[in-house]
Each structure stands twice: as structure tokens, then as C-alpha cells.
Amino acid sequence: MSNRLFQGVIHQMRDAIDRTIGVIDETSVIIACSELGRIGEVNDSITPEVLATPGTFVVNGYTYKSFGSRPRPEYAVFVSGSDPEAGRYASLLAVSLSSIKQYYDEKYDRSNFIKNVILDNILPGDIYLKARELRFNSDVNRVCMLIKITSKSDISAYDVVQNLFPDKNKDFIININESDIALVKEIRAGIEPKDLEKLASSIVDTLSSEFYTHCVVGIGTIVTGIKDLARSFKEAQVALEVGKVFDTEKPIVSYDNLGIARLIYQLPTTLCDMFLKEVFKRGSIESLDHETLFTIQRFFENNLNVSETSRKLFVHRNTLVYRLEKIKKITGLDLREFEDAIVFKVALMVKKYLSSNPVKF
């Protein structure tokens, strides 16, 4: 990364400084130069010991100025000539390149640090030390979102998301794997969950409408401090996993809104099997046809209101009552009774969970 970075700066400055300029590393290799043909050339005169020389120094008609991490400099800038002007150019270039390198290194280190935090690849005790070293603000609110690409296109979704969040000091875009991108976003106090869903929706809409790339987004909970970012990221993962089972049509799933689905997802499958057998001991749920299940779904959506459900289904009220009586006869559950409706609703979700073939335990 440093080579491309240095070459970019040297390329921009070569017209302003009408001399040969470049950068050499501690292995004596020229890694950037205004004369492109010299990149890769080895200059044995510049050894690590020579690089450690304080101030500017002249070797074979070129003025050098070292820069980089202390105690031992990693690089030196060189300018053709041994006159005072060459020394001034070398000093200015060294300051500029050192500042730019420090900025980019810090930015890279910060992203790498955040990646290690959310993936639990760093010891809890080291988090605070590293955060202080990188001058990380640990007292702000942040949230993790997991963007899972479901249909690939020629465009890089990672680049698109990076462009949507240009403030690299506050927001971090991290490639988890070829299909998953994590967004760690700093948010101000008072942000509501619905605001986060709007933000996620803008990501989904931008990728699909402008770049024909489809994705789903899982949203973790808002956390304060660096250490809890790993929890927010895991919650975003759980949101997508649970959403895949229970909300298959939703592109945005928030951990806060999973409700009872989150509980069911964490239940052992043996317990789920036992529950279904107990609930439907009078008749199997498989004996309910598609039309009946659709009626039940609409009945739940309309808060167990018979009149409203019959109106939405375009059927007579008595027809709906007959269907509900039929369900009661088969299952022993009267969906017009709140407690029976709860049991049936949970049973349907458990059945859906088992149909997704979770790991058996």
C-alpha cells in the first residue's frame, strides 16, 4: 500500500520539483520515483545504518532525508543534487510523505482493529490499550450492521458501501468474506431503531436500484464502547439467520424486532418436536390445508377480529366462523381465544423453524 501511496505523491510533485525525486526503503530498493524505469532498482549505498543518519545526507550526488517509524527509519526520500535547495526539497518531501503515511497507516490500523474486535480476534484487555494507542473515541454510540450480498454483479458492493459512508474516522466498512460486509457506524444520541432501519433501507435501495445487486441487512443493537461491538455484530448475524427462517421476504431484519422468533431459534430441536406433539396431539398440523393456513395467517394479522378478517378475505362472516370451528375440531384450539391463538402462533413458528433443517441437538 505504501508503495502506491508514495508513487502517487511523487508523480504529483515531479512537475513542481524539476529534479529526479523518489523514495527508497530499508532494503535499499527504490519503491517510488519520478523516473518510472528506476522503480525496483537496488542502491547498495543506502544501508539501514545510513538510513539512521539524522538530518539530510548526500550520497553519490543525491540528497537523502529519512522518515518513518522510530527508533529506526523505514524509508528515505531522495532528490538529485547536493546543493542547499536539494536539501530543502528532501526535507519538505520527507515531512509530507511521513504525515501521509501516518494518516493512512492509522486508518488501516483502525479498520483492522475494528475487524479484530467484532470477530473476537483480540483479547478484551488489549482492546482498551489498542483503542488508546489509535486515539479511538470509546464513549460514543455505535451499531453493527451485516450486509449479506445475495446476488452478485460486476460492481464491487464493498466500494459502493464505502462511498455511502465517506467519513472514515467514524464509520468503518469491513470485508468479512466474499458475500458479507460489516458496517460499524457511529451514531449520535437519540437515534431510534426505525432510523437505523431507514439507513439500512437506503443501502439496500442503492445497491439494487443503481447497481442491480441484491442484499439483506441484519442490524445489531446500539452499544457504547468498543468492547461491546462484538456483541452487536453477533446480534446482526443472528438477525439474518432468524430472519432467513421467519421473515424470508424482508430485506432488513433488526435484532430488536425479532421477538419470540429469537427465542424459538435458540431452542433445542428435540424440545420443539415434543412441543408440537403436545399441541397437536388431537390432529397433526399437516392435516390443515393451504387455504386453512392462509385463513389463520390473515386472522392473526387482523388481531383475531372475525369481522375484519372476513372483509379482508372477501368471505362471509359465517364462512370464516365455520373455518375456525373446523380448525378447533382438528386441533382442539379455538383461535378466537387469546391463549389458544398464542399457542397456535408459536406452534406455527416452531414448525417453520424445524422445516428450515436446523442443527439437531
Side-chain angles (χ1 to χ4, degrees):
M1 187 181 76
S2 295
N3 296 13
R4 293 201 305 272
L5 178 65
F6 293 154
Q7 183 58 38
V9 176
I10 294 296
H11 179 76
Q12 291 178 60
M13 290 193 172
R14 66 179 183 177
D15 292 333
I17 302 174
D18 192 21
R19 301 185 183 214
T20 299
I21 54 175
V23 178
I24 192 167
D25 68 9
E26 59 187 343
T27 64
S28 308
V29 176
I30 295 176
I31 58 172
C33 189
S34 56
E35 296 177 14
L36 296 178
R38 294 188 61 187
I39 295 175
E41 187 180 299
V42 179
N43 186 346
D44 294 327
S45 302
I46 307 300
T47 62
E49 289 72 28
V50 175
L51 268 182
T53 304
T56 58
F57 56 94
V58 178
V59 176
N60 297 332
Y62 283 84
T63 301
Y64 292 81
K65 178 71 172 74
S66 300
F67 67 94
S69 303
R70 297 294 176 188
R72 185 181 287 275
E74 302 165 278
Y75 308 97
V77 64
F78 60 84
V79 178
S80 60
S82 55
D83 52 309
E85 194 171 37
R88 285 195 295 273
Y89 283 147
S91 297
L92 285 170
L93 280 169
V95 170
S96 300
L97 291 174
S98 182
S99 299
I100 292 168
K101 182 182 181 300
Q102 183 180 354
Y103 170 78
Y104 275 89
D105 280 354
E106 187 172 286
K107 176 188 157 188
Y108 173 76
D109 285 346
R110 283 179 161 217
S111 293
N112 209 36
F113 167 59
I114 289 292
K115 184 173 184 176
N116 285 329
V117 169
I118 65 175
L119 295 180
D120 262 344
N121 290 336
I122 184 170
L123 294 171
D126 292 339
I127 290 176
Y128 296 108
L129 292 174
K130 191 69 177 173
R132 198 178 302 119
E133 181 187 321
L134 293 172
R135 299 193 292 278
F136 224 99
N137 189 347
S138 299
D139 299 322
V140 299
N141 295 331
R142 294 182 176 89
V143 68
C144 282
M145 295 186 185
L146 182 58
I147 303 158
K148 184 176 284 290
I149 307 302
T150 55
S151 71
K152 293 181 181 178
S153 68
D154 294 336
I155 204 78
S156 168
Y158 175 77
D159 291 340
V160 173
V161 177
Q162 273 207 320
N163 290 333
L164 288 174
F165 301 94
D167 192 340
K168 302 299 186 289
N169 288 320
K170 291 184 177 181
D171 304 327
F172 298 89
I173 317 300
I174 298 158
N175 245 339
I176 304 298
N177 54 47
E178 61 179 17
S179 63
D180 293 357
I181 301 164
L183 163 63
V184 178
K185 174 148 185 64
E186 182 178 314
I187 55 174
R188 63 183 183 275
I191 289 291
E192 298 287 331
K194 63 181 181 182
D195 297 319
L196 296 179
E197 290 183 13
K198 283 181 184 175
L199 179 66
S201 183
S202 70
I203 296 171
V204 172
D205 292 344
T206 300
L207 283 170
S208 62
S209 62
E210 295 184 30
F211 301 99
Y212 307 104
T213 300
H214 299 289
C215 68
V216 289
V217 180
I219 306 173
T221 56
I222 297 170
V223 296
T224 304
I226 306 292
K227 191 165 69 72
D228 289 332
L229 281 175
R231 173 167 58 82
S232 183
F233 177 69
K234 286 185 178 70
E235 289 168 349
Q237 287 179 309
V238 170
L240 284 186
E241 287 297 315
V242 176
K244 191 165 63 177
V245 176
F246 299 106
D247 293 309
T248 51
E249 295 177 5
K250 289 185 178 178
I252 297 159
V253 188
S254 176
Y255 186 83
D256 279 336
N257 295 335
L258 291 177
I260 200 168
R262 187 172 79 216
L263 176 64
I264 292 170
Y265 189 78
Q266 294 170 343
L267 290 175
T269 51
T270 50
L271 197 63
C272 292
D273 282 324
M274 287 171 57
F275 174 73
L276 286 180
K277 285 173 184 173
E278 287 176 14
V279 171
F280 297 110
K281 53 192 167 191
R282 284 181 54 177
S284 170
I285 193 171
E286 276 83 7
S287 61
L288 300 175
D289 57 39
H290 180 73
E291 183 186 44
T292 304
L293 289 171
F294 182 74
T295 300
I296 293 168
Q297 183 183 337
R298 288 290 177 266
F299 190 55
F300 287 152
E301 287 174 1
N302 289 286
N303 300 314
L304 313 184
N305 187 310
V306 174
S307 300
E308 185 66 18
T309 305
S310 59
R311 190 177 69 81
K312 293 279 181 67
L313 288 172
F314 302 104
V315 297
H316 195 275
R317 190 179 189 278
N318 290 344
T319 303
L320 179 58
V321 170
Y322 170 76
R323 289 181 186 174
L324 294 173
E325 287 291 341
K326 178 183 171 186
I327 294 164
K328 181 182 178 182
K329 188 176 180 181
I330 294 172
T331 65
L333 296 170
D334 186 352
L335 301 189
R336 289 164 292 188
E337 298 291 332
F338 183 67
E339 286 192 14
D340 283 1
I342 289 177
V343 171
F344 199 97
K345 174 69 174 175
V346 171
L348 283 178
M349 294 179 75
V350 168
K351 175 67 178 170
K352 198 168 187 181
Y353 167 59
L354 290 177
S355 299
S356 70
N357 295 317
V359 176
K360 302 292 180 184
F361 63 98

